[in-house]
Amino acid sequence: QQGRFLRSYFAEGVYADLRVLVGQRSHLKRQLNSAVNRLRSVLDEYFPEYDQVFKDVLGKASMWVLRYCPFPQDVLQCDPEGLAACLKLAAGNRVGMKRVKRLMEAASASVGVKVGIEGARRKLSSCLDEVEFYRRQLEVVEARMAELLDKLPEAKLLMSIPGVGPVVAATVLGEAGDLRRFKNWKQLRKLCGYNLVEQSSGQKKGQSVISKRGRPGLRHILYLAALAAVAKNREFQELYASLTMRPRNPLKGKQALVAVATKILRIMFALVKSGQRYCPGKLMDRCRQEAAKAAA
């Protein structure tokens, strides 16, 4: 009656579908990670040297070994040349006799548990089935997300930013909805929980930290986008370096990544509002200006 109320936002159309798929993808990722952890627990007990041979447990060659000869006694019973041929076929000629020799050496020197093998074999097979199932489900969900992105013109603008792929763009649009509904990018920053708040109590004045309110999925995906951008893109590497090595108030590693994630969010908002694609030169000019201003 007095006008003191807030209007709730309910996503509609493609944005609503994306939000549901983003939630489903998050659930599948958790289930997949749980299955992988159980798989690793079996290997830690019965073949602890396995990860010294296969760093990527979910790789094609590793998955073949886990399916057909997962334990040291199984490996030692195999013919090396035949095993190498099978691994070459499974991994597309990326794994050969050199890896087989390392696997044989690890199996012969293994200190893994020697009892309960059949029960562990059944448990491992179940974990592998779960891993393959959830990976297939993730592929289906992500393919559907990519199809829905084709219906949103702003999706191409977001994906023009280095480090922002279909999953990141779909998560941002699914979690935040139509970015054009925000009047200022700071409203979007607050939705992700990247706005700064002061930790103070009574007469004690604490440091400023991010609020971590809003939508955690949006905050997490932007952080992953920042990691990818800093690792693979020269402009964002320069931005990260300017934040960590500036003379006044240099940021620590994770703090700088959060600042990069916030910058990506701000760029997303600007691109959608202007209808323009990402221009790397503008970011680099801004970085140099800020660095010069901090050094002055």
Side-chain angles (χ1 to χ4, degrees):
Q1 184 179 359
Q2 297 177 359
R4 300 178 182 177
F5 65 93
L6 296 174
R7 294 187 182 276
S8 299
Y9 171 74
F10 294 97
E12 297 179 354
V14 178
Y15 299 105
D17 292 333
L18 282 175
R19 177 170 293 188
V20 174
L21 289 176
V22 167
Q24 177 66 7
R25 181 181 180 276
S26 178
H27 171 73
L28 290 173
K29 287 287 289 184
R30 288 194 298 271
Q31 295 296 104
L32 175 60
N33 291 338
S34 177
V36 172
N37 289 338
R38 291 197 300 274
L39 186 150
R40 289 183 180 276
S41 70
V42 176
L43 291 177
D44 288 343
E45 185 176 359
Y46 289 89
F47 199 171
E49 300 82 6
Y50 187 83
D51 59 354
Q52 299 175 6
V53 181
F54 294 100
K55 294 184 178 180
D56 183 11
V57 178
L58 301 184
K60 293 181 179 179
S62 174
M63 291 293 284
W64 190 94
V65 172
L66 293 177
R67 180 65 74 178
Y68 296 104
C69 51
F71 300 120
Q73 50 268 52
D74 301 328
V75 173
L76 295 175
Q77 291 177 1
C78 294
D79 174 51
E81 293 183 357
L83 182 57
C86 292
L87 291 184
K88 282 184 179 181
L89 184 62
N93 291 327
R94 295 183 179 180
V95 177
M97 182 58 71
K98 185 177 179 180
R99 188 71 62 89
V100 170
K101 289 181 179 179
R102 289 173 55 192
L103 183 62
M104 290 283 186
E105 292 173 358
S108 61
S110 178
V111 295
V113 176
K114 301 295 190 297
V115 296
I117 295 296
E118 290 307 314
R121 195 186 307 278
R122 180 62 260 168
K123 182 178 179 180
L124 184 65
S125 177
S126 177
C127 292
L128 290 172
D129 291 341
E130 288 188 54
V131 168
E132 293 175 353
F133 171 77
Y134 289 123
R135 291 175 83 176
R136 288 195 302 269
Q137 291 297 308
L138 277 170
E139 291 176 359
V140 172
V141 170
E142 291 177 359
R144 182 54 183 160
M145 290 166 68
E147 292 175 3
L148 291 175
L149 286 177
D150 291 337
K151 300 179 181 180
L152 298 175
E154 64 265 35
K156 293 182 179 180
L157 302 178
L158 299 186
M159 287 188 288
S160 66
I161 304 173
V164 177
V167 172
V168 176
T171 304
V172 170
L173 295 175
E175 293 279 1
D178 189 352
L179 301 187
R180 290 167 293 191
R181 68 188 179 92
F182 297 96
K183 295 180 180 180
N184 190 291
W185 80 275
K186 293 181 180 179
Q187 295 174 321
L188 189 55
R189 180 181 63 180
K190 196 171 184 179
L191 178 67
C192 348
Y194 275 145
N195 57 304
L196 294 178
V197 294
E198 188 179 276
Q199 285 185 327
S200 300
S201 176
Q203 297 180 352
K204 182 181 178 181
K205 184 177 181 180
Q207 295 181 345
S208 295
V209 296
I210 59 174
S211 67
K212 293 187 180 180
R213 297 178 181 176
R215 305 193 70 86
L218 182 56
R219 183 168 61 253
H220 176 68
I221 203 68
L222 286 170
Y223 186 82
L224 295 182
L227 281 172
V230 170
K232 300 180 180 179
N233 186 266
R234 185 167 61 91
E235 293 82 26
F236 284 97
Q237 289 172 358
E238 185 173 336
L239 173 61
Y240 180 83
S242 67
L243 292 169
T244 54
M245 295 187 294
R246 62 191 182 187
R248 286 189 295 180
N249 189 28
L251 299 180
K252 297 179 181 179
K254 288 187 177 181
Q255 292 175 327
L257 285 173
V258 169
V260 173
T262 306
K263 176 67 74 173
I264 291 175
L265 183 65
R266 187 171 184 176
I267 293 173
M268 287 179 172
F269 179 79
L271 296 184
V272 172
K273 282 288 188 178
S274 64
Q276 298 178 355
R277 294 176 63 85
Y278 171 75
C279 179
K282 292 183 179 180
L283 176 63
M284 295 184 71
D285 292 340
R286 181 65 63 86
C287 291
R288 296 189 183 102
Q289 291 174 7
E290 292 178 354
K293 185 177 179 181

